Amino acid sequence: MNKAMTVYPVIVDCLLSNPGIGFTSAPGLMDDIGDVFDNRGEKKEKYKFTQDSRTYNHPDSKVYFCSARWRDIEIAKGVFRWEVLEEKLEYAKSMGCTAVVRCSPYALSEEDDIPEWFRAESPEEPDFPFWRVDPETTRYVEYWSDFIKAFAKKYDGHPVISSIDLTIVGAWGEGGGTEFLEPEAIQRITDAYLDGFKITPLQALLHDPLSMKIITDRKAKVGFRVDCLGDMGGFHGKRWSHMTDFYPQNIQNFKMENAWEKAPILFEACWHMNDWYIQGWDIDYIIQETLKWHISSFNNKGTIVPEPWKDHVKQWLNKMGYRFELRKFTYDAEVESGGNLDVAALWANVGVAPIYNRYPLVLKLTSNNQTYTLYSKEDIREWLPDEDIAWEESFSIPSDVPAGEYRLEIGIETGVQEIGNVKLAIEGNTDGYYEMGKLLIKGDQ
């Protein structure tokens, strides 16, 4: 490098709200709310995680859980009202959030039934507690697979969606009764997801061994989700719990221990965090297990975090998902218009998971009245935790860039204005970009 400039950014340890990671948002606790109550209806003193938080008694978030019902979208066979989902995605975007999306085939109540046109074909409900329609004696597998294919065609790669739940059968698509399905049925539904979603990450419930085998046999990029995080003995006393008797064993048994390298790991609270607190369960143990399993996000069901656990949760959030530190940045301080700008950097991902959406790493050249953006070829999805990340690249400076002095800034763009850029764990954030120094572009001699 000629006339190289080296910068050592100042690392910060503050909370960062970033796309696709952290606690899911709690709209009911945001902005100008009145009193705050726990999940049992008891009034609690208000507090915030940071001085400028929008949310009370709960961390701010840039991820929103978005659920839509099959019956509301496919109003006739092959006729879709995608605006039902679009409205939910717009709401997520309006809060500055990406969305974890689940389309559910049905649930337990009458209003959560299968689509009316399908019910007209299948008037008899099965005698099974988690099925509203028998997938083996009806055309459920065919129809649900067709819906998934249409869903993927419409939404794969959508800029607001951070990941998609892979739902097969059972209430809310959570897998109740998969053990009674023929393997071919599970294969067909699973393949519809794997063949349809090539860009948007997927996660599957850690429940059904057959669908998990299909996923691992295909070496598909699918993470997993679990919906009873925190249970330390709430079902069968102290004899059995999800945290000690189900999740650790099945992550291994289903061969999903390395799934986190390519797709997200999501958790949902068993009951509520407040219930864990009242039960006296060990929050540090629960947190450490999730970090060991490479958690990206946690659905706290929009309810409060007990204030005595505030600092525990802060430490959790600073490790959850990805967290990028830029430790050293070297660049050519002077370049010719039409020439090359060489950069070299040392990064670290100090979270427990990579980023799963391919957001571009960019350099921005800004003068008083002009801005030019240079897009890196680097795929930041490959930035795994606990590895040194050495980045070197040469950028072509367009020949029409006028000579002069520019601010050289770096950022990771989501492409959605409301969501904004990925925040880095360094000082100097200005609208999602971080100034590295001055760059002189010289014209023709």
Side-chain angles (χ1 to χ4, degrees):
M1 289 186 179
N2 297 319
K3 296 185 179 179
M5 177 73 71
T6 298
V7 180
Y8 297 90
V10 177
I11 306 300
V12 298
D13 62 358
C14 58
L15 292 181
L16 302 175
S17 296
N18 266 324
I21 64 172
F23 278 43
T24 55
S25 64
L29 296 172
M30 292 174 67
D31 296 325
D32 297 325
I33 62 170
D35 294 331
V36 169
F37 298 88
D38 67 18
N39 63 297
R40 302 187 179 202
E42 184 177 336
K43 184 178 176 180
K44 297 294 180 181
E45 290 294 324
K46 286 184 178 180
Y47 76 89
K48 289 185 175 183
F49 272 80
T50 64
Q51 187 175 359
D52 58 352
S53 290
R54 290 183 59 188
T55 316
Y56 290 93
N57 299 58
H58 188 282
D60 279 347
S61 171
K62 280 191 171 290
V63 59
Y64 176 72
F65 180 71
C66 175
S67 180
R69 301 184 300 189
W70 182 18
R71 65 176 287 113
D72 295 332
I73 295 176
E74 192 169 6
I75 57 174
K77 183 69 178 82
V79 179
F80 305 98
R81 293 180 64 246
W82 294 117
E83 57 265 31
V84 171
L85 182 53
E86 288 291 345
E87 289 175 2
K88 295 175 183 289
L89 294 176
E90 282 297 316
Y91 177 68
K93 186 172 73 171
S94 72
M95 293 193 298
C97 292
T98 55
V100 175
V101 174
R102 178 192 300 177
C103 287
S104 301
Y106 51 82
L108 297 178
S109 62
E110 290 291 337
E111 59 266 27
D112 291 325
D113 196 12
I114 57 176
E116 291 182 6
W117 55 268
F118 187 13
R119 175 57 67 205
E121 290 184 18
S122 310
E124 298 297 326
E125 296 183 12
D127 185 22
F128 190 84
F130 286 98
W131 285 353
R132 292 201 62 84
V133 62
D134 190 331
E136 295 190 314
T137 61
T138 69
R139 300 179 73 178
Y140 171 83
V141 173
E142 174 190 345
Y143 289 164
W144 183 236
S145 297
D146 287 346
F147 173 81
I148 294 162
K149 292 174 185 176
F151 176 33
K153 184 177 181 180
K154 177 75 174 177
Y155 286 100
D156 188 30
H158 192 287
V160 175
I161 300 176
S162 54
S163 64
I164 300 279
D165 275 357
L166 193 159
T167 52
I168 298 175
V169 74
W172 306 284
E174 292 185 342
T178 48
E179 63 270 30
F180 301 108
L181 278 180
E182 291 296 324
E184 293 77 11
I186 297 179
Q187 178 87 48
R188 184 169 182 177
I189 295 172
T190 304
D191 283 348
Y193 279 102
L194 302 186
D195 294 338
F197 287 100
K198 298 295 189 182
I199 301 172
T200 303
L202 294 166
Q203 60 270 339
L205 191 74
L206 193 72
H207 173 84
D208 168 53
L210 183 52
S211 61
M212 289 293 175
K213 185 176 187 305
I214 293 167
I215 289 166
T216 54
D217 283 352
R218 286 189 55 169
K219 296 181 172 57
K221 297 178 181 179
V222 180
F224 65 81
R225 61 180 175 85
V226 301
D227 57 7
C228 215
L229 183 74
D231 168 39
M232 295 294 293
F235 288 96
H236 308 289
K238 295 183 179 179
R239 298 190 305 273
W240 187 93
S241 78
H242 284 84
M243 294 299 299
T244 60
D245 300 292
F246 188 83
Y247 296 147
Q249 293 85 349
N250 283 338
I251 290 170
Q252 297 293 319
N253 293 340
F254 296 163
K255 296 180 169 51
M256 296 296 284
E257 64 270 23
N258 296 321
W260 65 273
E261 294 182 358
K262 297 297 182 181
I265 310 302
L266 278 58
F267 294 89
E268 181 181 323
C270 211
W271 306 289
H272 302 269
M273 285 189 79
N274 187 55
D275 297 311
W276 307 354
Y277 180 72
I278 292 170
Q279 291 286 341
W281 292 339
D282 186 345
I283 185 61
D284 290 321
Y285 177 83
I286 294 168
I287 288 172
Q288 288 307 312
E289 288 296 282
T290 69
L291 297 176
K292 185 171 65 180
W293 300 329
H294 301 277
I295 181 175
S296 276
S297 70
F298 171 60
N299 186 346
N300 194 40
K301 299 179 179 176
T303 59
I304 69 161
V305 173
E307 187 168 13
W309 283 357
K310 177 181 175 182
D311 289 340
H312 301 264
V313 169
K314 279 186 173 181
Q315 294 175 34
W316 193 13
L317 288 165
N318 277 354
K319 296 296 292 182
M320 195 182 295
Y322 58 86
R323 186 180 177 94
F324 299 134
E325 295 179 354
L326 176 55
R327 296 178 172 176
K328 180 181 178 181
F329 184 83
T330 301
Y331 68 98
D332 288 337
E334 296 182 5
V335 296
E336 299 286 341
S337 181
N340 292 327
L341 169 63
D342 294 329
V343 302
L346 178 65
W347 294 84
N349 179 357
V350 296
V352 295
I355 194 170
Y356 299 105
N357 302 89
R358 188 163 188 180
Y359 298 136
L361 175 65
V362 305
L363 296 180
K364 192 168 72 165
L365 311 180
T366 305
S367 65
N368 291 333
N369 54 10
Q370 290 179 308
T371 297
Y372 297 88
T373 303
L374 309 176
Y375 288 88
S376 170
K377 298 175 182 177
E378 184 79 4
D379 186 350
I380 64 172
R381 294 174 299 177
E382 302 297 326
W383 290 5
L384 298 181
D386 298 324
E387 294 182 4
D388 290 329
I389 303 163
W391 169 52
E392 295 185 8
E393 192 165 345
S394 184
F395 292 84
S396 297
I397 303 296
S399 57
D400 60 349
V401 175
E405 186 177 72
Y406 292 79
R407 295 192 307 276
L408 177 62
E409 299 171 305
I410 194 166
I412 299 173
E413 297 182 344
T414 68
V416 181
Q417 182 178 357
E418 293 85 347
I419 296 170
N421 286 3
V422 172
K423 296 184 181 70
L424 306 180
I426 60 174
E427 288 185 353
N429 180 16
T430 304
D431 296 327
Y433 298 95
Y434 300 80
E435 184 173 343
M436 295 291 102
K438 303 300 182 183
L439 172 67
L440 179 63
I441 295 182
K442 298 184 290 185
D444 294 333
Q445 300 297 319

